[in-house]
Amino acid sequence: MGRGRGGGGRGRGGFRGKNKKGGDRRDVRTEPWSDIRRENALFESYYKTGGFLDEKEFEQMWKYMASDLPNSFRFTGTKADALAVREIFKKRYIPAITAVEFEGEPVQPPEPVKAFPDELVWHMKTHKKVIRRYKPFAEFQRFLVAETTAGNISRQEVVSMIPPHFLDVRPGMVVLDMCAAPGSKSAQLAEMIHGDEEERVKRAASNESFNATDDGDYSDDGRSTGLLIANDTDYKRAGMLVHQVKRLNFPNLIVTQHDASIFPSIEMPPAPGSTKPQYLKFDRVLADVPCSGDGTARKNPNVWQKWTPRDGLGLHNLQLRILMRGLQLLKKGGRLVYSTCSLNPVENEAVVASAIQACGGTSKVQLVDCSNALPELIRKPGLNQWKVLDTSHINGEEKINHMFTSYESFLNTKEKYEKEEPARQFSNKITRSVFPPVDAPSEAERIPLERCVRVYPHLQDTGGFFIAVLEKLDDIKVAQPGASSKGKAGSTDATPVPVQASEHSDATPQLSAEDAVPSAPSPTKRKLEDTEDDAASKRFRTETEDPAQDATNKDGTTTSEPVNDTTSSTPGPNGTSQTPQPRLKSESQSQKEYFEYLPKDDPTVSDILSFFGISPRFPRDRFLVRNKEGLALNKMYYTSELAKTIITHNKDRGMRFIHCGVVMFVSHKIKDKDAMKAPWRLQNEGIKILEPWAGKRIITCKSRDEFYRLLIEMFPKLPKDGSHELGEVGEQLMQLDIGCCFLRIEQDESQGFPFRMVLPVWRHPGSANLMVDKDDRKAMLLRLFNEENPRIINHVMEKAKEEAEKESAEATEEAEGETEAKEEDTEMGDAPVGTE
C-alpha cells in the first residue's frame, strides 16, 4: 500500500526489458522478495559501531529494520473534504475490522499516527495473512483503492510525509520541490499553498467581505497567490509526478523536467521603471534528494543484498550540488528542507555542514531548531561526529573494511597501503567534505548539526529518515561544488569553496549551456519503485492538441523521444570515456510540449463564459491551450496568474515545462454543435474553480435518490414531451437549452451528503448525463451509498446493443428465409415431370 520510492537508479525488482541504450535491465534475483534474507554483516556493522545509538537501542532499532513496514495512507484535498472522508472511514470500516478475531485475539485495526494533526494520517500493522482471510479487510481495501483513484487518499510512507510539515508553507508562498517524483510530497505542498481558499472565493464571488491576508495571501479575489514548481530530472518519473498531482486539480502548479543540481533561473518581468529582467526567488524549497535509500530496508528487501558504503559516497557530491542550487534559488529569509531516506551521515549531516561552509558559514545560512514542528514526532538529534566506512580491494578481491574518523586518517591509511600494497584501491569519492567539520573558533561559528532530525525505525514503527531545515540569512555566492580547493583537476580534496557574497550574486542572469544540459546523468530518487508508481508511469501520456504529437505507444508514452537532462559519453583515447561539452539544444529539439495562452478577448472564451453567466470579475486571460498555433481546438486549461507569468516569460528560454493548469473546458464534438450556443463541456477537474462565479445553468440536487439515479445511470431519458424519473433535477434540466450545466449539491448530513459537491451535467435533446467517468461514479457510490460492486447502466450503449442484436436477428431471419426458399426451389426442380 505504501507509495514509497527506491533510488539510485538501479532498476525496480521484477522489471524485465532493456533500457534506451539497449542495456539489459533484467532483475537477476533467484528468490522472491519474501525469501530474501534480511542480513548484511557490513550494513549492520557500520550502523552498530558508527556511534549512532548505544548498543541496547541499536539492537531494538535493527530488529525493526528487519521487519515489514506497516501500511500507511493520508487523507488529502481540502481540509473539509479530507475530514469528511476520514469520518466515513472511521464510522464504516473501523468497527467492522475491530470486530474481527484471529486465533482468539482481536485484530488490531488501522490507527491514526499521533505525530500528525487531525487524524489525517493512518497506518495498519495487521499481518498480510489476516488481511487476506477476512471480508472487512477486503471491503476496506476497495475503499482505499476507490478513494485513491478519486484523489481523496494518498498511500504514502509515514516518514515521507514529514518534510512538508517542517517546511512551514503558507498560502501565497512560491515553493520549489527540486526532486519531486513520484509526487506525494508535492501533493502535500500543493494543499498547503491553496489553504482554505474555497470559502474565501465563495465569499468574494458573493460580494461578501473576507480576510485576504489571514494565514497567507488570498488577495486574488480569495484565491491563493502562491505557486508550486515540482521538478524531476527523469522524463518517466516526471510522468508519475503529473499523474499524482493532476488528481488534486490545483491551478497554482507547474511541473518541470530539469537536473535539480543546475535548475535554471526563472526570468520574471522587469520592475516598474526598469528594463532589466528579474529572476524568481523561492520562499520555500524542498530538496528531497536522490540517496542510497538504506532507511527503506523495511519495504525494499533488495537493500539487504546490495548495500555498500560506496552508495552514500557516490551520491554525496550530487546531493551537495542540489542543496547548493536550492540555497541559491532561495530568498533571503526563506526556508529550505533537505531530506533523505538514508541514515548515512555522509549523505546527511556531511552534506548540510559542507553546504553551510561553502555559503560562508552560519552568518549566511543557519540550521533551524524545529523541535516545535510536529511536537508528537519522536526523533533523535543530528550527529556532530561520525565515521566514514570504505572497503578497499585488490582487483575486486582481498577486501578490507576501514573506518575513518577524519580526512587526514584516510590520507595516512591510503599512503601506507600505497607503499605496502600498491595495487590496493580505495574509493575515489572520499573527500574532505564527507567528514565532520573541524572545530569552529567560536560557538557562534559552530554549525549546530544536532538541530538536524533523525527518525529511526524503532521510534514509532516507521522507515528511517533524515531532515534538516535551513534558513538563508543573506545573499550567497559559491564556487561549483566539487571543484578542487587546491585548483588541481582530479584531486580528492574536493569541497565547495566559499567566495565573497554580493547583493543578488546568486541570481543566474540567463540560461547557460550548463543550465540546460548537465554533464552527467543523475540517479533517480530511490533504489526501488513501488508497483503503483510504475503503473502510473505506464499510464502517463503528455496531453497535447497537436495531431503530430497525439500518437502514443502501448504503454501510454508519446512516440517522440523524451528530452533527457544528460549528455552521452563517447570513447576517448586509450578507451577512456570523454564527456562532450554541454550545449544548449535548439528549440525544435528541446520543446516537445506547447503552452500558449489565449488572449483576454478570445471570442470562444467570451462565448463560453457568457453562456454560463460567469462574473466579469473572473479572470479572462488565464486560459491555456496545448498546441503550437495557440488555438482553442480541443481542451482549455486554467492557471494562476503567477503560473502564466512564468510560462509566458520562459517557454522560449529552454525551460522544459511538462504540465501546467487544470482542464476547464473540452470541446463537445457532435454533428449539430453549430446550432449550440457553447459546444464545450465543463470538466470535473476545473468545475469547482469556476462555479462560485457562475450565474446561469445551475441545477441544485437536494435528494439522495435523485443523485443516486444520476450516478447509477448514464443517459437517463429526459424527453421534450413526456415523463422522466429524475424528479426536481429533471424539472430544472427541462428548462435549459442543450449544453452543459453545473449540478450543485450542498452539504446535508440528513441526505447523506458529507460535503459540498459540484459536478458537470450535460443536457442532451432527449436525455441527461452526469459527466463523471466510471471510476469516479463507483467511488461516489461506495463513499455515499456503500455499494461495493455497482452495475452502471449505460442507456446509450444498451440501446445500441439492442439495435445491433435486432439487426443481427433480422439478418439471420432473412438469411434463413433465403435458405429455405432455395431448398424449396431445389426440391421442386428435382421433382418428376407430371407430378403434382
mmCIF file with all atom_site columns, all heavy atoms in Angstrom, residues 193-211:
data_model
loop_
_atom_site.group_PDB
_atom_site.id
_atom_site.type_symbol
_atom_site.label_atom_id
_atom_site.label_alt_id
_atom_site.label_comp_id
_atom_site.label_asym_id
_atom_site.label_entity_id
_atom_site.label_seq_id
_atom_site.pdbx_PDB_ins_code
_atom_site.Cartn_x
_atom_site.Cartn_y
_atom_site.Cartn_z
_atom_site.occupancy
_atom_site.B_iso_or_equiv
_atom_site.pdbx_formal_charge
_atom_site.auth_seq_id
_atom_site.auth_comp_id
_atom_site.auth_asym_id
_atom_site.auth_atom_id
_atom_site.pdbx_PDB_model_num
ATOM 1   N N   . ILE A 1 193 ? -0.300  25.282 -0.082 1.00 0.00 ? 193 ILE A N   1
ATOM 2   C CA  . ILE A 1 193 ? -0.281  26.536 -0.832 1.00 0.00 ? 193 ILE A CA  1
ATOM 3   C C   . ILE A 1 193 ? -1.700  27.061 -1.046 1.00 0.00 ? 193 ILE A C   1
ATOM 4   O O   . ILE A 1 193 ? -1.943  28.265 -0.985 1.00 0.00 ? 193 ILE A O   1
ATOM 5   C CB  . ILE A 1 193 ? 0.434   26.336 -2.183 1.00 0.00 ? 193 ILE A CB  1
ATOM 6   C CG1 . ILE A 1 193 ? 1.949   26.267 -1.958 1.00 0.00 ? 193 ILE A CG1 1
ATOM 7   C CG2 . ILE A 1 193 ? 0.101   27.456 -3.167 1.00 0.00 ? 193 ILE A CG2 1
ATOM 8   C CD1 . ILE A 1 193 ? 2.726   25.872 -3.183 1.00 0.00 ? 193 ILE A CD1 1
ATOM 9   N N   . HIS A 1 194 ? -2.642  26.164 -1.278 1.00 0.00 ? 194 HIS A N   1
ATOM 10  C CA  . HIS A 1 194 ? -4.024  26.603 -1.521 1.00 0.00 ? 194 HIS A CA  1
ATOM 11  C C   . HIS A 1 194 ? -4.790  26.873 -0.237 1.00 0.00 ? 194 HIS A C   1
ATOM 12  O O   . HIS A 1 194 ? -5.738  27.669 -0.240 1.00 0.00 ? 194 HIS A O   1
ATOM 13  C CB  . HIS A 1 194 ? -4.759  25.567 -2.378 1.00 0.00 ? 194 HIS A CB  1
ATOM 14  C CG  . HIS A 1 194 ? -4.421  25.659 -3.820 1.00 0.00 ? 194 HIS A CG  1
ATOM 15  N ND1 . HIS A 1 194 ? -5.134  26.428 -4.715 1.00 0.00 ? 194 HIS A ND1 1
ATOM 16  C CD2 . HIS A 1 194 ? -3.412  25.125 -4.540 1.00 0.00 ? 194 HIS A CD2 1
ATOM 17  C CE1 . HIS A 1 194 ? -4.588  26.342 -5.914 1.00 0.00 ? 194 HIS A CE1 1
ATOM 18  N NE2 . HIS A 1 194 ? -3.539  25.560 -5.839 1.00 0.00 ? 194 HIS A NE2 1
ATOM 19  N N   . GLY A 1 195 ? -4.389  26.233 0.858  1.00 0.00 ? 195 GLY A N   1
ATOM 20  C CA  . GLY A 1 195 ? -5.020  26.530 2.139  1.00 0.00 ? 195 GLY A CA  1
ATOM 21  C C   . GLY A 1 195 ? -6.524  26.331 2.112  1.00 0.00 ? 195 GLY A C   1
ATOM 22  O O   . GLY A 1 195 ? -7.042  25.385 1.520  1.00 0.00 ? 195 GLY A O   1
ATOM 23  N N   . ASP A 1 196 ? -7.254  27.264 2.737  1.00 0.00 ? 196 ASP A N   1
ATOM 24  C CA  . ASP A 1 196 ? -8.719  27.168 2.779  1.00 0.00 ? 196 ASP A CA  1
ATOM 25  C C   . ASP A 1 196 ? -9.350  28.210 1.862  1.00 0.00 ? 196 ASP A C   1
ATOM 26  O O   . ASP A 1 196 ? -10.266 28.933 2.249  1.00 0.00 ? 196 ASP A O   1
ATOM 27  C CB  . ASP A 1 196 ? -9.217  27.318 4.218  1.00 0.00 ? 196 ASP A CB  1
ATOM 28  C CG  . ASP A 1 196 ? -8.821  28.654 4.834  1.00 0.00 ? 196 ASP A CG  1
ATOM 29  O OD1 . ASP A 1 196 ? -8.005  29.373 4.222  1.00 0.00 ? 196 ASP A OD1 1
ATOM 30  O OD2 . ASP A 1 196 ? -9.330  28.986 5.918  1.00 0.00 ? 196 ASP A OD2 1
ATOM 31  N N   . GLU A 1 197 ? -8.852  28.280 0.635  1.00 0.00 ? 197 GLU A N   1
ATOM 32  C CA  . GLU A 1 197 ? -9.304  29.335 -0.268 1.00 0.00 ? 197 GLU A CA  1
ATOM 33  C C   . GLU A 1 197 ? -10.749 29.157 -0.728 1.00 0.00 ? 197 GLU A C   1
ATOM 34  O O   . GLU A 1 197 ? -11.387 30.145 -1.139 1.00 0.00 ? 197 GLU A O   1
ATOM 35  C CB  . GLU A 1 197 ? -8.389  29.424 -1.493 1.00 0.00 ? 197 GLU A CB  1
ATOM 36  C CG  . GLU A 1 197 ? -8.451  28.226 -2.407 1.00 0.00 ? 197 GLU A CG  1
ATOM 37  C CD  . GLU A 1 197 ? -7.544  28.354 -3.627 1.00 0.00 ? 197 GLU A CD  1
ATOM 38  O OE1 . GLU A 1 197 ? -6.786  29.344 -3.716 1.00 0.00 ? 197 GLU A OE1 1
ATOM 39  O OE2 . GLU A 1 197 ? -7.598  27.477 -4.480 1.00 0.00 ? 197 GLU A OE2 1
ATOM 40  N N   . GLU A 1 198 ? -11.306 27.961 -0.689 1.00 0.00 ? 198 GLU A N   1
ATOM 41  C CA  . GLU A 1 198 ? -12.646 27.738 -1.239 1.00 0.00 ? 198 GLU A CA  1
ATOM 42  C C   . GLU A 1 198 ? -13.687 28.636 -0.582 1.00 0.00 ? 198 GLU A C   1
ATOM 43  O O   . GLU A 1 198 ? -14.513 29.244 -1.262 1.00 0.00 ? 198 GLU A O   1
ATOM 44  C CB  . GLU A 1 198 ? -13.044 26.270 -1.097 1.00 0.00 ? 198 GLU A CB  1
ATOM 45  C CG  . GLU A 1 198 ? -12.391 25.376 -2.133 1.00 0.00 ? 198 GLU A CG  1
ATOM 46  C CD  . GLU A 1 198 ? -13.029 24.002 -2.194 1.00 0.00 ? 198 GLU A CD  1
ATOM 47  O OE1 . GLU A 1 198 ? -14.052 23.790 -1.514 1.00 0.00 ? 198 GLU A OE1 1
ATOM 48  O OE2 . GLU A 1 198 ? -12.503 23.145 -2.920 1.00 0.00 ? 198 GLU A OE2 1
ATOM 49  N N   . GLU A 1 199 ? -13.650 28.704 0.733  1.00 0.00 ? 199 GLU A N   1
ATOM 50  C CA  . GLU A 1 199 ? -14.642 29.523 1.441  1.00 0.00 ? 199 GLU A CA  1
ATOM 51  C C   . GLU A 1 199 ? -14.424 31.001 1.135  1.00 0.00 ? 199 GLU A C   1
ATOM 52  O O   . GLU A 1 199 ? -15.391 31.759 0.975  1.00 0.00 ? 199 GLU A O   1
ATOM 53  C CB  . GLU A 1 199 ? -14.544 29.261 2.949  1.00 0.00 ? 199 GLU A CB  1
ATOM 54  C CG  . GLU A 1 199 ? -15.550 30.023 3.785  1.00 0.00 ? 199 GLU A CG  1
ATOM 55  C CD  . GLU A 1 199 ? -16.997 29.693 3.420  1.00 0.00 ? 199 GLU A CD  1
ATOM 56  O OE1 . GLU A 1 199 ? -17.267 28.550 3.018  1.00 0.00 ? 199 GLU A OE1 1
ATOM 57  O OE2 . GLU A 1 199 ? -17.850 30.612 3.528  1.00 0.00 ? 199 GLU A OE2 1
ATOM 58  N N   . ARG A 1 200 ? -13.193 31.443 1.031  1.00 0.00 ? 200 ARG A N   1
ATOM 59  C CA  . ARG A 1 200 ? -12.903 32.852 0.735  1.00 0.00 ? 200 ARG A CA  1
ATOM 60  C C   . ARG A 1 200 ? -13.363 33.221 -0.677 1.00 0.00 ? 200 ARG A C   1
ATOM 61  O O   . ARG A 1 200 ? -13.899 34.306 -0.904 1.00 0.00 ? 200 ARG A O   1
ATOM 62  C CB  . ARG A 1 200 ? -11.402 33.119 0.896  1.00 0.00 ? 200 ARG A CB  1
ATOM 63  C CG  . ARG A 1 200 ? -10.885 32.889 2.306  1.00 0.00 ? 200 ARG A CG  1
ATOM 64  C CD  . ARG A 1 200 ? -9.375  33.011 2.353  1.00 0.00 ? 200 ARG A CD  1
ATOM 65  N NE  . ARG A 1 200 ? -8.823  32.347 3.513  1.00 0.00 ? 200 ARG A NE  1
ATOM 66  C CZ  . ARG A 1 200 ? -8.433  32.959 4.629  1.00 0.00 ? 200 ARG A CZ  1
ATOM 67  N NH1 . ARG A 1 200 ? -8.531  34.263 4.732  1.00 0.00 ? 200 ARG A NH1 1
ATOM 68  N NH2 . ARG A 1 200 ? -7.926  32.270 5.633  1.00 0.00 ? 200 ARG A NH2 1
ATOM 69  N N   . VAL A 1 201 ? -13.129 32.316 -1.633 1.00 0.00 ? 201 VAL A N   1
ATOM 70  C CA  . VAL A 1 201 ? -13.571 32.581 -3.008 1.00 0.00 ? 201 VAL A CA  1
ATOM 71  C C   . VAL A 1 201 ? -15.093 32.683 -3.054 1.00 0.00 ? 201 VAL A C   1
ATOM 72  O O   . VAL A 1 201 ? -15.648 33.550 -3.745 1.00 0.00 ? 201 VAL A O   1
ATOM 73  C CB  . VAL A 1 201 ? -13.061 31.475 -3.955 1.00 0.00 ? 201 VAL A CB  1
ATOM 74  C CG1 . VAL A 1 201 ? -13.737 31.602 -5.323 1.00 0.00 ? 201 VAL A CG1 1
ATOM 75  C CG2 . VAL A 1 201 ? -11.549 31.564 -4.110 1.00 0.00 ? 201 VAL A CG2 1
ATOM 76  N N   . LYS A 1 202 ? -15.742 31.805 -2.336 1.00 0.00 ? 202 LYS A N   1
ATOM 77  C CA  . LYS A 1 202 ? -17.210 31.828 -2.303 1.00 0.00 ? 202 LYS A CA  1
ATOM 78  C C   . LYS A 1 202 ? -17.716 33.169 -1.776 1.00 0.00 ? 202 LYS A C   1
ATOM 79  O O   . LYS A 1 202 ? -18.664 33.757 -2.317 1.00 0.00 ? 202 LYS A O   1
ATOM 80  C CB  . LYS A 1 202 ? -17.715 30.680 -1.430 1.00 0.00 ? 202 LYS A CB  1
ATOM 81  C CG  . LYS A 1 202 ? -19.226 30.509 -1.422 1.00 0.00 ? 202 LYS A CG  1
ATOM 82  C CD  . LYS A 1 202 ? -19.621 29.303 -0.570 1.00 0.00 ? 202 LYS A CD  1
ATOM 83  C CE  . LYS A 1 202 ? -21.142 29.158 -0.518 1.00 0.00 ? 202 LYS A CE  1
ATOM 84  N NZ  . LYS A 1 202 ? -21.548 28.016 0.345  1.00 0.00 ? 202 LYS A NZ  1
ATOM 85  N N   . ARG A 1 203 ? -17.086 33.687 -0.733 1.00 0.00 ? 203 ARG A N   1
ATOM 86  C CA  . ARG A 1 203 ? -17.486 34.970 -0.167 1.00 0.00 ? 203 ARG A CA  1
ATOM 87  C C   . ARG A 1 203 ? -17.159 36.110 -1.136 1.00 0.00 ? 203 ARG A C   1
ATOM 88  O O   . ARG A 1 203 ? -17.966 37.040 -1.310 1.00 0.00 ? 203 ARG A O   1
ATOM 89  C CB  . ARG A 1 203 ? -16.794 35.192 1.170  1.00 0.00 ? 203 ARG A CB  1
ATOM 90  C CG  . ARG A 1 203 ? -17.222 34.206 2.253  1.00 0.00 ? 203 ARG A CG  1
ATOM 91  C CD  . ARG A 1 203 ? -16.460 34.439 3.563  1.00 0.00 ? 203 ARG A CD  1
ATOM 92  N NE  . ARG A 1 203 ? -16.831 35.720 4.152  1.00 0.00 ? 203 ARG A NE  1
ATOM 93  C CZ  . ARG A 1 203 ? -17.865 35.892 4.961  1.00 0.00 ? 203 ARG A CZ  1
ATOM 94  N NH1 . ARG A 1 203 ? -18.652 34.861 5.269  1.00 0.00 ? 203 ARG A NH1 1
ATOM 95  N NH2 . ARG A 1 203 ? -18.134 37.071 5.479  1.00 0.00 ? 203 ARG A NH2 1
ATOM 96  N N   . ALA A 1 204 ? -15.994 36.022 -1.773 1.00 0.00 ? 204 ALA A N   1
ATOM 97  C CA  . ALA A 1 204 ? -15.608 37.067 -2.725 1.00 0.00 ? 204 ALA A CA  1
ATOM 98  C C   . ALA A 1 204 ? -16.577 37.117 -3.894 1.00 0.00 ? 204 ALA A C   1
ATOM 99  O O   . ALA A 1 204 ? -16.990 38.199 -4.336 1.00 0.00 ? 204 ALA A O   1
ATOM 100 C CB  . ALA A 1 204 ? -14.186 36.823 -3.223 1.00 0.00 ? 204 ALA A CB  1
ATOM 101 N N   . ALA A 1 205 ? -16.960 35.947 -4.411 1.00 0.00 ? 205 ALA A N   1
ATOM 102 C CA  . ALA A 1 205 ? -17.874 35.895 -5.548 1.00 0.00 ? 205 ALA A CA  1
ATOM 103 C C   . ALA A 1 205 ? -19.269 36.407 -5.187 1.00 0.00 ? 205 ALA A C   1
ATOM 104 O O   . ALA A 1 205 ? -20.001 36.898 -6.051 1.00 0.00 ? 205 ALA A O   1
ATOM 105 C CB  . ALA A 1 205 ? -17.970 34.463 -6.077 1.00 0.00 ? 205 ALA A CB  1
ATOM 106 N N   . SER A 1 206 ? -19.619 36.301 -3.903 1.00 0.00 ? 206 SER A N   1
ATOM 107 C CA  . SER A 1 206 ? -20.928 36.788 -3.434 1.00 0.00 ? 206 SER A CA  1
ATOM 108 C C   . SER A 1 206 ? -20.854 38.227 -2.955 1.00 0.00 ? 206 SER A C   1
ATOM 109 O O   . SER A 1 206 ? -21.807 38.727 -2.329 1.00 0.00 ? 206 SER A O   1
ATOM 110 C CB  . SER A 1 206 ? -21.433 35.880 -2.306 1.00 0.00 ? 206 SER A CB  1
ATOM 111 O OG  . SER A 1 206 ? -21.545 34.552 -2.737 1.00 0.00 ? 206 SER A OG  1
ATOM 112 N N   . ASN A 1 207 ? -19.721 38.890 -3.217 1.00 0.00 ? 207 ASN A N   1
ATOM 113 C CA  . ASN A 1 207 ? -19.500 40.276 -2.806 1.00 0.00 ? 207 ASN A CA  1
ATOM 114 C C   . ASN A 1 207 ? -19.578 40.452 -1.288 1.00 0.00 ? 207 ASN A C   1
ATOM 115 O O   . ASN A 1 207 ? -19.971 41.506 -0.790 1.00 0.00 ? 207 ASN A O   1
ATOM 116 C CB  . ASN A 1 207 ? -20.503 41.209 -3.501 1.00 0.00 ? 207 ASN A CB  1
ATOM 117 C CG  . ASN A 1 207 ? -20.261 41.288 -4.992 1.00 0.00 ? 207 ASN A CG  1
ATOM 118 O OD1 . ASN A 1 207 ? -19.118 41.390 -5.440 1.00 0.00 ? 207 ASN A OD1 1
ATOM 119 N ND2 . ASN A 1 207 ? -21.341 41.199 -5.761 1.00 0.00 ? 207 ASN A ND2 1
ATOM 120 N N   . GLU A 1 208 ? -19.207 39.402 -0.558 1.00 0.00 ? 208 GLU A N   1
ATOM 121 C CA  . GLU A 1 208 ? -19.119 39.486 0.892  1.00 0.00 ? 208 GLU A CA  1
ATOM 122 C C   . GLU A 1 208 ? -17.673 39.759 1.282  1.00 0.00 ? 208 GLU A C   1
ATOM 123 O O   . GLU A 1 208 ? -16.744 39.451 0.549  1.00 0.00 ? 208 GLU A O   1
ATOM 124 C CB  . GLU A 1 208 ? -19.595 38.170 1.533  1.00 0.00 ? 208 GLU A CB  1
ATOM 125 C CG  . GLU A 1 208 ? -21.033 37.809 1.203  1.00 0.00 ? 208 GLU A CG  1
ATOM 126 C CD  . GLU A 1 208 ? -21.418 36.464 1.801  1.00 0.00 ? 208 GLU A CD  1
ATOM 127 O OE1 . GLU A 1 208 ? -20.777 36.045 2.798  1.00 0.00 ? 208 GLU A OE1 1
ATOM 128 O OE2 . GLU A 1 208 ? -22.332 35.816 1.267  1.00 0.00 ? 208 GLU A OE2 1
ATOM 129 N N   . SER A 1 209 ? -17.489 40.337 2.439  1.00 0.00 ? 209 SER A N   1
ATOM 130 C CA  . SER A 1 209 ? -16.128 40.634 2.890  1.00 0.00 ? 209 SER A CA  1
ATOM 131 C C   . SER A 1 209 ? -15.419 39.354 3.318  1.00 0.00 ? 209 SER A C   1
ATOM 132 O O   . SER A 1 209 ? -16.048 38.399 3.775  1.00 0.00 ? 209 SER A O   1
ATOM 133 C CB  . SER A 1 209 ? -16.169 41.620 4.061  1.00 0.00 ? 209 SER A CB  1
ATOM 134 O OG  . SER A 1 209 ? -16.855 41.049 5.166  1.00 0.00 ? 209 SER A OG  1
ATOM 135 N N   . PHE A 1 210 ? -14.113 39.326 3.133  1.00 0.00 ? 210 PHE A N   1
ATOM 136 C CA  . PHE A 1 210 ? -13.307 38.187 3.567  1.00 0.00 ? 210 PHE A CA  1
ATOM 137 C C   . PHE A 1 210 ? -11.918 38.705 3.900  1.00 0.00 ? 210 PHE A C   1
ATOM 138 O O   . PHE A 1 210 ? -11.506 39.761 3.431  1.00 0.00 ? 210 PHE A O   1
ATOM 139 C CB  . PHE A 1 210 ? -13.242 37.115 2.471  1.00 0.00 ? 210 PHE A CB  1
ATOM 140 C CG  . PHE A 1 210 ? -12.480 37.544 1.249  1.00 0.00 ? 210 PHE A CG  1
ATOM 141 C CD1 . PHE A 1 210 ? -11.124 37.245 1.097  1.00 0.00 ? 210 PHE A CD1 1
ATOM 142 C CD2 . PHE A 1 210 ? -13.104 38.261 0.249  1.00 0.00 ? 210 PHE A CD2 1
ATOM 143 C CE1 . PHE A 1 210 ? -10.429 37.665 -0.026 1.00 0.00 ? 210 PHE A CE1 1
ATOM 144 C CE2 . PHE A 1 210 ? -12.411 38.683 -0.884 1.00 0.00 ? 210 PHE A CE2 1
ATOM 145 C CZ  . PHE A 1 210 ? -11.063 38.380 -1.011 1.00 0.00 ? 210 PHE A CZ  1
ATOM 146 N N   . ASN A 1 211 ? -11.191 37.955 4.694  1.00 0.00 ? 211 ASN A N   1
ATOM 147 C CA  . ASN A 1 211 ? -9.842  38.347 5.088  1.00 0.00 ? 211 ASN A CA  1
ATOM 148 C C   . ASN A 1 211 ? -8.854  37.810 4.071  1.00 0.00 ? 211 ASN A C   1
ATOM 149 O O   . ASN A 1 211 ? -8.677  36.603 3.940  1.00 0.00 ? 211 ASN A O   1
ATOM 150 C CB  . ASN A 1 211 ? -9.511  37.799 6.489  1.00 0.00 ? 211 ASN A CB  1
ATOM 151 C CG  . ASN A 1 211 ? -8.272  38.448 7.066  1.00 0.00 ? 211 ASN A CG  1
ATOM 152 O OD1 . ASN A 1 211 ? -7.332  38.774 6.347  1.00 0.00 ? 211 ASN A OD1 1
ATOM 153 N ND2 . ASN A 1 211 ? -8.275  38.653 8.386  1.00 0.00 ? 211 ASN A ND2 1
#
